[in-house]
Amino acid sequence: MARKDDPATVEYETKAKNLLKAELKRKGVTYAQLAEKLAAIGVHENERNLNNKISRGGFTAAFLLQCLDVIQATDIRL
C-alpha cells in the first residue's frame, strides 16, 4: 500500500489535482457549479469541501472520474 508521505504518491496526487483543476478551468466550471453537478448524480460535497479535497489531491480515482463525467470532459490532457 502506498504511503501518504511517499514521494511517488505525492507526485501522482499532485498530477491528479492539477489535471482536475485544469479541466475545471478549461470547462469554466467553479467549485460551486461542480458541487451542483455532483449532487445531481448523488455525490454530495459542498464548495468548501471540494476546494479542500481537490487542493489536497488525495481523492479517489472514482471521485476524479465522477468530476470529469459531470463536467463532460471527454478528452483530457495528461
Side-chain angles (χ1 to χ4, degrees), residues 1-17:
M1 182 171 184
R3 292 178 34 155
K4 285 288 187 185
D5 60 348
D6 178 23
T9 299
V10 172
E11 175 187 352
Y12 282 94
E13 286 177 345
T14 301
K15 286 182 179 186
K17 167 180 65 175

Side-chain angles (χ1 to χ4, degrees), residues 62-64 72:
F63 175 77
L64 175 63
Q72 300 177 339

Side-chain angles (χ1 to χ4, degrees), residues 6-51:
D6 178 23
T9 299
V10 172
E11 175 187 352
Y12 282 94
E13 286 177 345
T14 301
K15 286 182 179 186
K17 167 180 65 175
N18 290 339
L19 171 75
L20 183 51
K21 284 183 173 185
E23 290 304 318
L24 288 168
K25 185 168 185 113
R26 201 176 306 353
K27 294 287 187 175
V29 176
T30 66
Y31 288 140
Q33 292 168 326
L34 178 60
E36 289 176 19
K37 291 174 182 295
L38 287 171
I41 64 165
V43 179
H44 301 286
E45 297 276 356
N46 65 39
E47 180 179 358
R48 184 175 179 179
N49 288 349
L50 285 171
N51 188 5

